Structures are given as C-alpha cells and as structure tokens.
Amino acid sequence: MIWVTWRQHRAVLLTCAFLLAAVAVPTLVSGLAMHEQYRADGIAACVTDPRARAGCAQLVEQFAAQYGEWGNRMVWVAFLPALIGAFVGAPLLAREFENGTWRFAFTQGVSRTRWLLTQLTLVGTAAAVLALACSLLFTWWRQPLDAMGSRMRTAAFTVSPALVALTLFALALGVFAGVLLRRTVIAVGLTLATYLTVRITLEETLRPHYLSPLVRTDAPGVRKTSDVLPPADWIVDEGLINSAGHRISDGEKRDILKQVYDGDTVREGGAALERYLTEHGLRHYTEYHPADRYTAMLGIETALYLALALALFAAAAHLVRRRTS
C-alpha cells in the first residue's frame, strides 16, 4: 500500500522537493550577505538601543529598503499551504472516488482503515517536512528584518513553525472537501475559498485578541525617546481618549482636526493639535502586545490550526467509512 501511494503522488512530492532546493540556494546566499551586513554595520545596536535609534535612523532605513523587497517576495510562502491543500489534499481521495479506483485497494485485502491511514500518513508527513524546511529556512533569513518590526503582524508569523500546522490544516481541509464532494475540480475551489476565509479571519479578527492587549496612555506633548515603544512590539490600535476614559470616534477626530487646522494654525504643525488636546483634557492611547508575547500567541494559533486539522481528518475518515461500507 505504501508503494502504491508513493507511485500515485511521487511526481508532486518530487516537484515540491526540487522547488525547495531551487529556492534554498538564492535564499541562503542573500541571507548570509544580509546577516553579515546587519552585524558589520552595527544595525543591531541601532534597533535594540532606544537612545541610538534617532542617530542611525537613515542607516536602518537603507538596510530595510535594500532587503525589504526580498522579504516581500516571500509572500509566496503564505500560499504554500493553500497549494498543498488544493492540489494535493483535494485530489487525494476525490480522485479515488471519482474514478472508482478505491475499490481496487479493497480487492487486494487492504482494509478501509489501513488504506486511509497509509494515504494520509505518507502525504501528511511529506507536506509537514516540506513546510518545516521552508519555515526553518525563511525564519533564519528574516531574523534581521524581524528585529526591526513586530513578528506578530508581519510575514514572520506565517513562516514560523506555525507553517507546519497551517499546512496540515490546509491538507486536511482539502481531503475533507474531496471526500465530501467526490469531484476534484469542485473540491479544489472549495478548499481554496475556505482556506482563505479561515486564515484571514484568524489573522485579522482573532489574532489581536488571543491575549488581552496592554493599554498605555500618554499626555499630549512631545514624547521622550524612552516613551517610544520598541519596534518589535505590535501596536494593535491607537487613538485619543477623553478625561472620562472614553475613546474618541473617527468622526470626532475629524471634527477636532477641522477645528485645530482652521485658518493659519496649520503652520504650527503638530504643536497646535497637542495644545488643543491639553486644553480639552484629551490623551493619546496605544493598545499593543509586547514582543515577549510572540511565543504564546504563536502557540495559540498553532494549536487552533492543529485542532482544526484533526477535526477535519476525523470527519473525512468518518465519511470514507460510510461511503465505502
């Protein structure tokens, strides 16, 4: 059974391995150069020391501009789980039911449980290994860039070890869609649509609230350098708050700006706004997650994807047993 499963999926698995090897070479070359420049130019000190940030802001900006584009190209890694789910997971069993070839396996004395476990174990292990290799490679590559921004909001969260759980979720979603619909093309479309919906919902709606954000309020005026949050912290929301502790709505903010910057006061820039805020008892507020919460939030999201994957695999197994009995 293992040999048959390998024969069925070896083309896809070997293609994935080849693409990983092809991508690894330029990634390693550029990563070594970036890490060396990050160390040699003293950018690490600029990022970690609040007193040094203002003096070397231009150096940090040049470094980010030079390598930031490479980081943007890694967006494709975020689509790796979707591709595996749609083009490996969805056809995995849908094609068997569509063509009726699942009956051939049972004529060879293979039980339904063994047939299903062999298929899922071999393909799932290969997908997890591929995702882990990509995760380790790109997490290492991004280390200097991640020190300059929050890892909880950037692509760093996607290419972290959570990529393995995300890939298994996408694979399980594809398998379930294939068993449910028994039509490969339709299952591919459903897998992609559902994967994007779940992932966007978690990233944009749930992730900021895995843990309760900390809230900091600042009186109007020029902030000290020591008051600026470290770049690795994730700012979830910020705005204005009145003396009663109620947050100012967007409409109220527009009204304030209209009052402050009416006539020639615009020449004073931000000073006029800060003076208005002081006179009316308004303060700045910032909701944020400190950088040391990264591991906890990563663990929460990983657990969510693994739980979804297990539930989908179990549902697919239940459907297989019903439809092959």
Side-chain angles (χ1 to χ4, degrees):
M1 194 62 207
I2 295 177
W3 180 84
V4 173
T5 304
W6 163 251
R7 291 273 298 181
Q8 286 179 314
H9 306 290
R10 63 180 178 179
V12 174
L13 298 177
L14 290 175
T15 299
C16 291
F18 173 78
L19 291 176
L20 175 62
V23 170
V25 174
T27 302
L28 288 171
V29 171
S30 65
L32 290 171
M34 178 172 62
H35 280 70
E36 176 59 25
Q37 183 174 339
Y38 184 76
R39 182 194 62 79
D41 291 355
I43 298 176
C46 295
V47 173
T48 56
D49 187 354
R51 296 167 297 180
R53 284 181 214 157
C56 55
Q58 184 177 0
L59 181 63
V60 173
E61 289 177 3
Q62 290 176 348
F63 181 85
Q66 181 177 354
Y67 292 102
E69 184 59 31
W70 274 88
N72 292 336
R73 293 172 185 172
M74 289 186 183
V75 173
W76 71 268
V77 180
F79 293 98
L80 176 65
L83 295 176
I84 289 178
F87 299 107
V88 177
L92 185 66
L93 300 181
R95 186 170 50 199
E96 300 274 10
F97 285 107
E98 199 170 12
N99 299 330
T101 53
W102 61 272
R103 296 184 181 89
F104 173 77
F106 298 159
T107 62
Q108 309 304 307
V110 178
S111 66
R112 289 171 295 177
T113 301
R114 181 184 173 190
W115 173 71
L116 183 61
L117 285 178
T118 303
Q119 294 268 344
L120 296 182
T121 301
L122 180 61
V123 176
T125 301
V129 170
L130 175 64
L132 180 61
C134 288
S135 171
L136 294 176
L137 176 64
F138 292 115
T139 298
W140 165 80
W141 187 94
R142 287 191 56 89
Q143 283 176 352
L145 293 177
D146 291 340
M148 300 161 61
S150 173
R151 293 186 295 170
M152 290 176 277
R153 191 69 183 96
T154 63
F157 209 94
T158 302
V159 301
S160 69
L163 185 66
V164 177
L166 182 57
T167 301
L168 289 176
F169 159 69
L171 179 67
L173 179 61
V175 170
F176 175 74
V179 176
L180 180 67
L181 300 173
R182 292 181 287 183
R183 294 293 183 271
T184 302
V185 175
I186 303 176
V188 168
L190 178 63
T191 300
L192 289 173
T194 307
Y195 168 83
L196 291 174
T197 300
V198 172
R199 187 174 160 216
I200 292 173
T201 300
L202 258 65
E203 289 187 4
E204 301 297 329
T205 305
L206 298 183
R207 187 186 296 171
H209 305 289
Y210 288 161
L211 301 172
S212 298
L214 301 181
V215 181
R216 191 179 79 170
T217 58
D218 298 297
V222 180
R223 293 184 182 181
K224 301 177 182 179
T225 303
S226 57
D227 293 335
V228 179
L229 291 173
D233 289 354
W234 178 18
I235 297 177
V236 177
D237 188 26
E238 53 188 344
L240 298 175
I241 191 172
N242 61 24
S243 56
H246 299 140
R247 296 183 180 183
I248 304 301
S249 66
D250 291 339
E252 291 172 321
K253 289 178 188 177
R254 287 192 293 269
D255 292 339
I256 291 173
L257 293 174
K258 191 179 297 183
Q259 294 180 50
V260 172
Y261 294 117
D262 183 28
D264 293 337
T265 55
V266 69
R267 297 177 183 176
E268 299 183 51
L273 176 61
E274 297 301 311
R275 185 168 59 249
Y276 178 94
L277 298 180
T278 302
E279 293 171 352
H280 291 78
L282 300 174
R283 294 169 293 159
H284 298 281
Y285 78 86
T286 305
E287 275 191 357
Y288 70 100
H289 291 290
D292 58 10
R293 288 186 172 185
Y294 170 77
T295 302
M297 297 185 74
L298 186 65
I300 292 171
E301 188 156 305
T302 299
L304 284 174
Y305 279 127
L306 287 177
L308 288 172
L310 289 174
L312 288 167
F313 278 133
H318 176 69
L319 285 176
V320 167
R321 294 185 64 86
R322 283 185 54 189
R323 290 178 174 175
T324 59
S325 57

